[in-house]
């Protein structure tokens, strides 16, 4: 059996293109030669702890007030300590859900008035699975 | 000091990562084609579901206890294993990947209480990867293995066992049968009883030179290691495989020759790809086919084929493998499995060509390199020999496969907001 993990860390960088200013032999040397830098890699911005990060798909409308819509891509970091006000993934009785963590009131809040907040103490089996550090939305209409 | 970190019920635990509803439930994972049980969660073990048992034989148990069943999802397990390793890199710069679910760490120079360090590894791996692990820490790899065994079986350890002085490991060894020691299988264990060696302690207190004389240098080293002397260091690079096998069971047991030829072509190509990856050549191959041993009229046959010259050319190996299958094939049977082994392999760099026999042509090297490049760049199976078949007509039986949560964009876990 073949194992072909597509881990976040080891993927070859997609956006990195080396700048070979010096390869231009004729003419004036590029004034940028002394300032060659690697281009920005979006993963550096989105992912701080690759081996503790997973992606998930949001489903539902309870978080629209915080800008998370149905179908959005969630980037979830399990290495972060959940803080008051974080968007978190919680497992409630074995079901994964995305809410705002309110540590002052010991609640999980929805971002939509149609959904009642959830008392942290009401559930014996409530675990915070990770912190949603980014959400990504595709903005073109056709897909 | 060495640590051995072992993922508890690795495959079953991988299946529970994105299914919190199953974390305290009995679940099992089946081998390729849903043949045998290859992993069980703690709760499944407690129900008495035996390991490595054919699935169909214990289906009743599984039904009665509502055990969740999974087909093996090696893409998921491979990715999770990689995450476990990457996480462990923070604990030691020197790590040996012993298997998909076991890693040795070199803890020399770690100036912290090691039991707490082990507990921290365990806690971090649970928090960040959701993988439960056991940790054994000791002055040699063999003792670290023993410590790991203790960490799993002695509840008081809470998953971490540190053997840092002879009293501790002696106490333990007197209570552990010798067959539980790393490198001592049931076969050696049987022979050891003839020498009145029953417990690990009996072995540790035996004369290493005698063990060498009666058994092997490996067992001599084991004795030394059990006494706290480091004989085995971490292996950075796993040694090249001495033999490469590729075989698989058919989902829908075919009885015609054609699918058998296609399958062997595919396996031959896979095996040869691996051969090229470790820069070796093969001069002898082993081909086998058989029907189900659980059904009447069992037929099994194999052939060993010497190749005209040492090669890594898929075309040559496929041609010879197909020739062999044609000879082995008998009509009227439903075949369960076929496979190929590259059994006599040598380093390409150090290969001595035959004076009278021309070696592989340079054009073959170029073609194979191109093939590998294409497949590396555009994904495995982008370019292949036509003989492998355009569409696999022998799909794997994987009725219960979980999504590839971390390796496929279409399989991401969904989260209700």
């Amino acid at each position: 059996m073949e194992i072909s993990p597509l881990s976040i860390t080891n993927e070859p960088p997609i956006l990195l293109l080396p700048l070979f200013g010096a390869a231009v032999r004729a003419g004036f040397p590029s004034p940028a030669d002394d300032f060659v830098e690697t281009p920005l890699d979006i993963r550096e911005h989105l992912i701080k702890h690759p081996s503790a990060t997973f992606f998930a798909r949001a489903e539902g409308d309870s978080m629209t007030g915080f800008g998370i819509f149905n179908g959005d891509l969630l980037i979830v970091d399990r290495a972060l300590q959940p803080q008051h006000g974080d968007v978190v993934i919680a497992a409630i009785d074995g079901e994964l859900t995305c809410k705002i963590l309110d540590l002052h009131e010991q609640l999980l809040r929805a971002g939509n008035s149609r959904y009642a907040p959830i008392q942290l103490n009401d559930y014996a089996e409530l675990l915070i699975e990770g912190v949603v550090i980014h959400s990504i939305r595709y903005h073109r209409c056709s897909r | 000091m060495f640590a051995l970190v072992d993922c508890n019920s690795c495959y079953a635990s991988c299946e529970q990562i994105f299914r919190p509803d199953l974390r305290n439930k009995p679940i099992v994972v089946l081998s390729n084609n849903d043949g045998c049980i290859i992993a069980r969660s703690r709760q499944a073990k407690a129900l008495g579901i035996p390991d490595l048992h054919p699935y169909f034989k214990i289906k009743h148990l599984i039904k009665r206890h509502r055990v969740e069943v999974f087909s093996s999802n090696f893409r998921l397990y491979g990715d999770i294993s990689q995450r476990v390793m990457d996480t462990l890199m923070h604990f030691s710069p020197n790590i040996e990947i012993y298997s998909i679910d076991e890693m040795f760490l070199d803890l020399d120079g770690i100036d912290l209480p090691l039991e707490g360090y082990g507990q921290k590894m365990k806690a971090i791996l649970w928090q960040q990867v959701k993988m439960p692990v056991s940790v054994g820490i000791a002055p040699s790899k063999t003792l670290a293995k023993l410590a790991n065994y203790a960490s799993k079986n002695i509840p008081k350890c809470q998953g971490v066992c540190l053997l840092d002085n002879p009293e501790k490991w002696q106490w333990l060894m007197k209570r552990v049968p010798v067959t539980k020691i790393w490198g001592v299988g049931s076969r050696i264990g049987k022979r050891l009883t003839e020498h009145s060696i029953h417990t690990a302690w009996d072995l540790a207190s035996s004369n290493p030179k005698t063990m060498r004389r009666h058994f092997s240098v490996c067992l001599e080293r084991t004795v030394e290691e059990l006494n706290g002397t480091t004989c085995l260091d971490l292996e950075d690079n796993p040694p090249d495989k001495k033999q490469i096998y590729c075989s698989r069971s058919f989902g829908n047991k075919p009885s015609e020759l054609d699918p058998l030829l296609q399958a062997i072509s595919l396996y031959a190509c896979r095996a040869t790809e691996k051969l090229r990856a470790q820069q070796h050549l093969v001069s002898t191959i082993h081909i086998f086919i058989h029907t189900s041993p659980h059904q009447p009229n069992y037929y099994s046959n194999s052939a060993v084929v010497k190749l005209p010259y040492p090669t890594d050319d898929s075309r040559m190996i496929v041609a010879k493998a197909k020739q062999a299958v044609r000879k082995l094939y008998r009509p009227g049977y439903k075949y369960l499995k076929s496979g190929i082994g590259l059994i006599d392999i040598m380093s390409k760099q150090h290969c001595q060509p035959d004076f009278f026999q021309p070696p592989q042509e340079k054009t073959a090297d170029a073609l194979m390199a191109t093939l590998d490049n294409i497949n590396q760049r555009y994904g495995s199976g982008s370019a292949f020999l036509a003989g492998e078949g355009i569409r696999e007509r022998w799909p794997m039986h994987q009725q219960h496969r979980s999504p590839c949560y971390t390796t496929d964009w279409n399989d991401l876990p969904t989260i209700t907001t």
Side-chain angles (χ1 to χ4, degrees), chain B residues 94-157:
Chain B
N94 209 354
I95 288 188
E96 176 191 339
I97 298 158
Y98 182 64
S99 68
I100 191 168
D101 58 354
E102 286 174 287
M103 294 109 212
F104 281 109
L105 281 72
D106 183 351
L107 297 185
D108 278 348
I110 305 289
D111 204 13
L112 291 165
L114 290 179
E115 199 164 339
Y117 204 60
Q119 286 294 354
K120 181 135 196 231
M121 289 180 205
K122 189 176 161 233
I124 293 277
L125 281 170
W126 176 252
Q127 191 209 332
Q128 302 195 357
V129 190
K130 287 283 174 277
M131 176 54 72
V133 298
S134 307
V135 185
I137 305 174
S140 70
K141 281 167 87 176
T142 308
L143 280 175
K145 269 269 193 187
L146 180 70
N148 194 283
Y149 173 79
S151 72
K152 280 198 170 66
N153 290 284
I154 303 174
K156 225 181 114 196
C157 288

Side-chain angles (χ1 to χ4, degrees), chain B residues 110-299:
Chain B
I110 305 289
D111 204 13
L112 291 165
L114 290 179
E115 199 164 339
Y117 204 60
Q119 286 294 354
K120 181 135 196 231
M121 289 180 205
K122 189 176 161 233
I124 293 277
L125 281 170
W126 176 252
Q127 191 209 332
Q128 302 195 357
V129 190
K130 287 283 174 277
M131 176 54 72
V133 298
S134 307
V135 185
I137 305 174
S140 70
K141 281 167 87 176
T142 308
L143 280 175
K145 269 269 193 187
L146 180 70
N148 194 283
Y149 173 79
S151 72
K152 280 198 170 66
N153 290 284
I154 303 174
K156 225 181 114 196
C157 288
Q158 297 187 305
V160 177
C161 174
L162 169 67
L163 298 178
D164 54 354
N165 68 56
E167 279 114 75
K168 282 193 199 170
W169 65 69
Q170 282 166 17
W171 181 91
L172 183 60
M173 279 195 253
K174 286 174 186 163
R175 287 157 180 81
V176 173
V178 70
T179 46
K180 296 290 174 196
I181 296 300
W182 193 32
V184 181
S186 54
R187 209 164 45 89
I188 296 178
K190 219 173 188 177
R191 280 177 61 206
L192 280 169
T193 46
E194 290 162 17
H195 293 250
S196 308
I197 293 173
H198 305 282
T199 65
W201 174 241
D202 294 338
L203 181 61
S205 43
S206 67
N207 183 337
K209 294 286 168 246
T210 316
M211 287 301 119
R212 180 179 190 153
R213 212 159 352 103
H214 289 291
F215 294 90
S216 65
V217 66
C218 297
L219 200 63
E220 179 194 15
R221 269 200 303 242
T222 303
V223 175
E224 302 274 11
E225 287 238 325
L226 284 175
N227 285 289
T229 312
T230 308
C231 302
L232 303 165
D233 268 321
L234 290 195
E235 291 175 23
D236 303 335
N237 294 310
D240 284 331
K241 288 202 179 123
K242 305 247 160 49
Q243 299 189 334
I244 299 172
Y245 268 84
C246 184
S247 67
R248 224 182 272 170
S249 304
F250 296 101
N252 56 342
K253 310 188 184 85
S255 50
E256 302 86 53
L257 178 60
D258 237 25
L260 287 179
L261 290 175
Q262 254 183 48
I264 204 70
S265 307
L266 178 72
Y267 306 154
C269 286
R270 287 288 162 284
T272 314
E273 249 171 54
K274 288 180 192 164
L275 181 76
R276 289 196 295 269
Q278 64 177 50
Q279 301 187 357
H280 278 59
L281 300 172
V282 62
S283 57
T284 311
I285 58 175
H286 172 219
I287 311 289
F288 58 91
I289 57 174
H290 64 79
T291 64
S292 167
H294 296 290
Q295 271 155 17
N297 257 337
Y298 176 56
Y299 171 70

Side-chain angles (χ1 to χ4, degrees), chain A residues 1 3 7 9-10 51-62 73 78-79 89 94 96-99 129, chain B residues 17-18 20-21 23 32 74 78-79 82-83 86-87 127-128 130 270 396 407 409 412-417:
Chain A
M1 171 43 77
I3 301 170
S7 81
T9 35
N10 296 340
S51 53
T53 298
F54 68 91
F55 304 139
R57 194 67 73 184
E59 202 176 73
D61 60 356
S62 85
L73 180 72
R78 291 196 202 263
I89 303 296
L96 293 174
T97 183
C98 174
K99 293 282 180 291
E129 290 278 315
Chain B
I17 291 177
F18 295 100
D21 57 313
R23 285 201 193 136
N32 278 335
F74 282 102
D79 180 64
Q82 185 67 47
R83 286 164 182 257
D86 290 344
T87 310
Q127 191 209 332
Q128 302 195 357
K130 287 283 174 277
R270 287 288 162 284
M396 270 215 275
T407 58
W409 287 112
L412 298 184
T414 48
I415 291 180
T416 325
T417 65

